[in-house]
């Protein structure tokens, strides 16, 4: 992966470049580098707001708990909470008290818990970031919502459409926010793609292509995960899909996000069943536009591109389809011609995701990726897995939320 680029921003614009919308992707460096003794720093440090929780207490920061003490919380979520203005990591949940305590100590959390009920009884916690194994998301979310905690759930939201629906309905019934961890929505490249599409700068969109792969050279076979990570090899815990649930789901959501449309029909082909290493999908959107999505492992030198082809031009994000904020963008069209590059920033998309969720609580609005987005992406996952099994196209019937 390239971490830097020789491309210069706005190298050959024919017209004013389109800046990606800042609405969901605040520049965290601009926020964080504020001198704490300047007026803005003092205001930010002492900004007191009433959290929208059942207790309505006043706090200086939003109290987070991470449900799960695995690799994703360790490498990304806890450090990102540490970098997010107005966020405080209060607690973590592990099935084992020793692991919970060790995680809490490593990341400066106030407490480690091994029982969900004990964690939920901690009044310092306003929101939970659910990052447990896929099949556990529903139980953790339902419990947290019933305890009046807001929920940001990792993808895949759930391992079945019924579970995803239960998550949405329980959060709604208990008056808590539900957001989804689709960090690709916060890469400025993808915000730019969304703006170009909605402003009609690429003309009528004819085709989208998105790919998320990973791998290292010299890795001829999948090395199964074991121990605490063994659940990744268990079809039930995973929800019947492997790279589809791990990587493809991000790209399905990206297609929906950029196009502002639902996916109505899918066909899929995978290398193996039930836990595939390579998956290739065709998606049809509301207006008939087609998207090709592929994902897989054992793909060293993978490009991780996202391309939108329209009748008047093309958008390409190179290496933007990744957890870290990185990569390049090229736009060629009748009216907009520009390039842009991002230096590698491992946590920027996650910090933006947390910042947006906190703003959603403060402003009492929906987060950038909602529970409904999670439900729709779960419908796509489920249809894709069914199509790969049967070899047939599957139409998606969207579930209504009561
Ligand atoms: N948004 C993204 O880009 C992104 C990236 C990576 C992962 N994720 C998502 O984040 C979630 C966690 O991923 P991870 O990489 O952190 O997983 P992980 O490293 O495998 O950790 C999961 C933890 O869950 C516990 N666990 C293991 N087996 C379990 C079981 N059968 N039942 C209940 N708990 C079990 C273990 O901790 P204890 O035994 O200590 O409880 C384990 O450390 C997944 O849903 C994944 O899809 C999202």
């Amino acid at each position: 992966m390239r971490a830097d680029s020789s491309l210069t921003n706005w190298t050959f614009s024919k017209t004013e470049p389109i800046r990606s919308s800042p609405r969901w992707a605040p520049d965290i460096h601009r926020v964080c580098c504020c001198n704490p003794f300047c007026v803005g720093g003092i205001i930010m440090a002492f900004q007191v707001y009433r959290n929208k929780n059942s207790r309505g207490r006043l706090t200086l920061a939003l109290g987070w708990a991470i449900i799960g003490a695995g690799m994703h919380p360790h490498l990304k979520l806890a450090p990102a909470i540490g970098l997010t203005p107005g966020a405080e990591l209060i607690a973590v949940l592990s099935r084992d008290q020793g692991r919970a305590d060790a995680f809490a100590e490593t990341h400066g959390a106030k407490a480690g818990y091994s029982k969900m009920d004990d964690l939920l009884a901690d009044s310092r916690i306003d929101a939970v970031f659910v990052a447990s194994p896929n099949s556990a998301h529903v139980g953790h979310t339902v419990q947290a919502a019933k305890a009046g905690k807001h929920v940001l759930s990792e993808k895949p939201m759930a391992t079945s459409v019924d579970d995803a629906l239960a998550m949405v309905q329980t959060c709604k019934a208990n008056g808590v926010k539900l957001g989804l961890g689709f960090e690709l929505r916060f890469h400025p490249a993808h915000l730019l793609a969304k703006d170009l599409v909605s402003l009609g700068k690429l003309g009528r969109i004819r085709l989208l292509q998105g790919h998320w792969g990973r791998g290292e050279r010299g890795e001829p076979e999948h090395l199964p995960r074991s121990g605490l990570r063994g659940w990744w090899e268990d079809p039930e815990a995973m929800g019947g899909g492997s790279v589809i649930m791990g990587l493809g789901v991000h790209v399905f959501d990206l297609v929906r996000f950029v196009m502002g449309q639902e996916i109505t029909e899918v066909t899929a082909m995978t290398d193996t069943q039930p836990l595939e290493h390579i998956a290739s999908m065709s998606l049809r959107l509301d207006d008939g536009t087609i998207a090709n999505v592929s994902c897989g492992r054992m793909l060293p030198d993978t490009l991780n591109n996202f391309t939108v082809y329209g009748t008047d031009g093309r958008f390409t994000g190179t290496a933007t389809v990744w957890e870290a904020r990185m990569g390049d963008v090229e736009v060629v069209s009748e009216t907009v011609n520009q390039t842009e590059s991002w230096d590698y920033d491992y946590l920027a998309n996650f910090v933006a995701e947390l910042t947006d969720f906190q703003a959603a609580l403060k402003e009492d609005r929906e987060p950038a990726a909602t529970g409904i987005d999670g439900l729709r992406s779960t419908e796509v996952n489920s249809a894709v897995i069914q199509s790969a099994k049967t070899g047939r196209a599957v139409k998606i019937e969207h579930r209504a939320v009561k």
Side-chain angles (χ1 to χ4, degrees):
M1 288 295 167
R2 256 184 308 168
D4 59 355
S5 168
S6 55
L7 290 177
T8 314
N9 287 357
W10 327 122
T11 44
F12 51 98
S13 294
K14 273 205 279 185
T15 57
E16 279 299 295
I18 304 279
R19 277 281 181 195
S20 48
S21 162
R23 61 191 177 273
W24 290 336
D27 182 340
I28 58 155
H29 299 295
R30 243 177 271 148
V31 175
C32 296
C33 71
C34 172
N35 178 342
F37 298 106
C38 75
V39 174
I42 291 166
I43 291 171
M44 196 165 79
F46 289 94
Q47 185 181 35
V48 176
Y49 62 87
R50 187 175 293 276
N51 292 307
K52 304 273 178 189
N53 65 13
S54 55
R55 289 164 296 285
R57 66 188 168 81
L58 289 170
T59 59
L60 282 169
L62 191 87
W64 282 94
I66 304 178
I67 309 302
M71 290 306 283
H72 185 49
H74 173 58
L75 295 176
K76 291 156 266 176
L77 302 185
I81 289 172
L83 287 173
T84 303
E88 186 179 13
L89 182 60
I90 302 290
V92 64
L93 182 81
S94 161
R95 292 173 301 176
D96 175 83
Q97 188 60 46
R99 283 197 293 276
D101 291 341
F103 187 102
E105 192 181 337
T106 302
H107 295 286
K110 308 270 183 249
Y113 291 103
S114 58
K115 295 203 169 32
M116 188 69 172
D117 285 342
D118 294 343
L119 181 145
L120 294 174
D122 188 330
S123 62
R124 297 169 296 180
I125 297 166
D126 302 299
V128 298
F129 205 140
V130 174
S132 45
N134 300 350
S135 59
H137 293 180
V138 60
H140 286 142
T141 297
V142 165
Q143 262 186 287
K146 288 183 175 168
K149 313 288 187 191
H150 302 286
V151 179
L152 184 49
S153 169
E154 262 313 336
K155 48 52 57 174
M157 180 179 189
T159 51
S160 75
V161 176
D162 284 346
D163 285 354
L165 189 59
M167 289 166 75
V168 172
Q169 289 180 336
T170 309
C171 288
K172 194 175 168 202
N174 287 278
V176 297
K177 301 276 185 215
L178 175 58
L180 261 291
F182 287 129
E183 70 270 9
L184 293 184
R185 289 182 174 226
F186 296 92
H187 193 310
H190 304 141
L191 288 158
L192 172 62
K194 183 174 179 60
D195 284 349
L196 289 166
V197 169
S198 66
L199 293 169
K201 296 292 183 186
L202 303 180
R204 158 100 163 81
I205 306 305
R206 305 292 300 158
L207 178 69
L208 297 94
Q209 292 178 331
H211 171 75
W212 190 334
R214 60 193 310 159
E216 287 170 27
R217 289 188 188 175
E219 187 191 10
E221 283 176 39
H222 170 56
L223 299 172
R225 296 177 206 189
S226 56
L228 293 177
R229 310 203 82 208
W231 68 272
W232 288 90
E233 313 299 331
D234 172 1
E236 206 176 313
M238 284 296 290
S242 182
V243 291
I244 292 168
M245 291 299 208
L247 306 174
V249 62
H250 278 293
V251 191
F252 305 151
D253 180 69
L254 183 60
V255 167
R256 293 181 60 253
F257 173 65
V258 166
M259 291 297 284
Q261 292 185 39
E262 294 304 340
I263 295 162
T264 57
E265 185 181 2
V266 304
T267 59
M269 197 178 277
T270 57
D271 61 341
T272 50
Q273 286 287 327
L275 294 186
E276 74 294 337
H277 304 306
I278 300 286
S280 173
M281 282 76 57
S282 295
L283 319 174
R284 194 188 301 281
L285 298 172
D286 281 329
D287 72 352
T289 305
I290 287 173
N292 295 141
V293 172
S294 54
C295 55
R297 56 168 66 97
M298 292 172 284
L299 296 174
D301 309 298
T302 180
L303 281 173
N304 295 353
N305 287 2
F306 180 65
T307 304
V308 185
Y309 294 97
T311 51
D312 290 340
R314 164 177 62 79
F315 162 97
T316 298
T318 303
T320 59
V321 183
W322 191 250
E323 295 170 327
R325 186 173 294 174
M326 60 188 288
D328 310 316
V329 149
E330 180 189 44
V331 184
V332 289
S333 78
E334 286 296 305
T335 56
V336 182
N337 291 276
Q338 66 190 56
T339 59
E340 191 169 354
S341 303
W342 289 269
D343 287 339
Y344 181 93
D345 187 331
Y346 190 39
L347 296 176
N349 292 336
F350 295 104
V351 173
E353 179 179 284
L354 285 155
T355 303
D356 167 76
F357 191 79
Q358 296 196 162
L361 299 186
K362 193 173 165 191
E363 296 158 16
D364 196 16
R365 62 162 171 81
E366 287 299 311
T370 65
I372 301 285
D373 291 313
L375 171 62
R376 299 296 172 237
S377 69
T378 308
E379 290 169 346
V380 178
N381 289 345
S382 173
V384 159
I385 290 166
Q386 194 188 337
S387 173
K389 260 193 207 153
T390 61
R392 300 192 173 181
V394 176
K395 288 201 189 320
I396 298 177
E397 283 179 25
H398 300 302
R399 300 283 289 274
V401 177
K402 286 180 210 142

